Each structure stands twice: as C-alpha cells, then as structure tokens.
Amino acid sequence: MARIAGVNIPTGKRVVIALQYIHGIGQLRAKKIVDELKIPAERRVNQLTDQEVLQIREMIDRDYLVEGDLRREVSMNIKRLQDLGCYRGLRHRKGLPVHGQRTHTNARTRKGPAKAIAGKKMATR
C-alpha cells in the first residue's frame, strides 16, 4: 500500500482515482499530476514502481497544499471570519448556511435534526 502525504491510498484502484483520497486533491489535480509525470492513465497503484511513487510524493509535497496544512489553513480562515464578526463569521458561529441559501425550509444538514417547539400543540384535523 502506497503512502502519500500521510494517507494510505488504495492499491487496487487506478492512480487518478487513488490520488483523490488525499484531502486537497480532486479530479483535475490528480489528472494533472499523472499527466506531468507521464504515468499512463490505466495504471493501477499496485503496478507503480517505487520511483514513480517517490515522484508523485515529491510533486505533491512541493506544489500542493494538502491534508493537515490545508485543513489548518481553512480552519484559520473560518476563525478569522468569526473573530472579525462579519456576516459569514456569524453564520459559521451559529452553524447556519454561509453562502446565502434559504433556511425557512431545508438547510437540515447545516442546522441539524429538527427540534420540537415546547408548549406548542400540533393542530389536529
């Protein structure tokens, strides 16, 4: 099992798919890495040589912000917004949608499970 950027990537998958298991590398970045290193698209991780794994590891470490560093930067950006007290920071602090979505209905992912209102009885028909 190859270990890149502190993540064990699955061995049976194609390299482009396996690289996406690293936080901060999506489909486009994975394709770009494979193309620049001239690794065939159909190559599986278990077919990679040690030299190719080393090249991938070095390229990711050199050119991209991934895993712990990326998570730290994102959390620092959110903390900065909260400290400023700007609108987006307040939305993060309250656990509500940040990008202008409606909250009257929906937004259950962000708000959590629905809470019953105490003292209010349901109307019966």
Side-chain angles (χ1 to χ4, degrees):
M1 184 169 272
R3 188 167 178 82
I4 299 174
V7 177
N8 291 328
I9 59 175
T11 55
K13 295 187 183 286
R14 290 185 304 128
V15 179
V16 176
I17 303 299
L19 286 176
Q20 294 176 39
Y21 279 71
I22 301 170
H23 181 76
I25 295 184
Q27 201 170 18
L28 289 176
R29 281 191 177 175
K31 285 181 183 176
K32 186 177 177 184
I33 290 168
V34 169
D35 289 343
E36 285 185 28
L37 296 177
K38 294 178 178 57
I39 297 172
E42 66 278 353
R43 182 85 58 89
R44 305 266 172 182
V45 175
N46 55 9
Q47 297 170 340
L48 289 175
T49 65
D50 291 337
Q51 182 63 31
E52 288 171 331
V53 172
L54 186 64
Q55 285 178 331
I56 292 171
R57 188 178 298 131
E58 287 174 352
M59 182 175 194
I60 289 174
D61 288 343
R62 182 183 66 235
D63 298 338
Y64 299 107
L65 191 65
V66 293
E67 282 301 321
D69 295 334
L70 179 61
R71 292 179 202 271
R72 190 175 310 106
E73 184 173 318
V74 169
S75 67
M76 290 302 293
N77 289 340
I78 292 171
K79 186 173 179 345
R80 177 180 50 83
L81 290 171
Q82 289 175 344
D83 291 344
L84 285 173
C86 67
Y87 182 77
R88 285 172 54 204
L90 295 176
R91 302 298 281 184
H92 273 292
R93 193 179 303 158
K94 292 178 182 178
L96 293 169
V98 177
H99 296 288
Q101 299 93 330
R102 69 180 287 141
T103 57
H104 178 70
T105 60
N106 302 333
R108 287 274 56 115
T109 301
R110 197 66 189 160
K111 291 168 71 173
K115 300 168 203 74
I117 299 172
K120 193 170 185 181
K121 298 212 180 214
M122 296 293 294
T124 56
R125 292 185 183 209

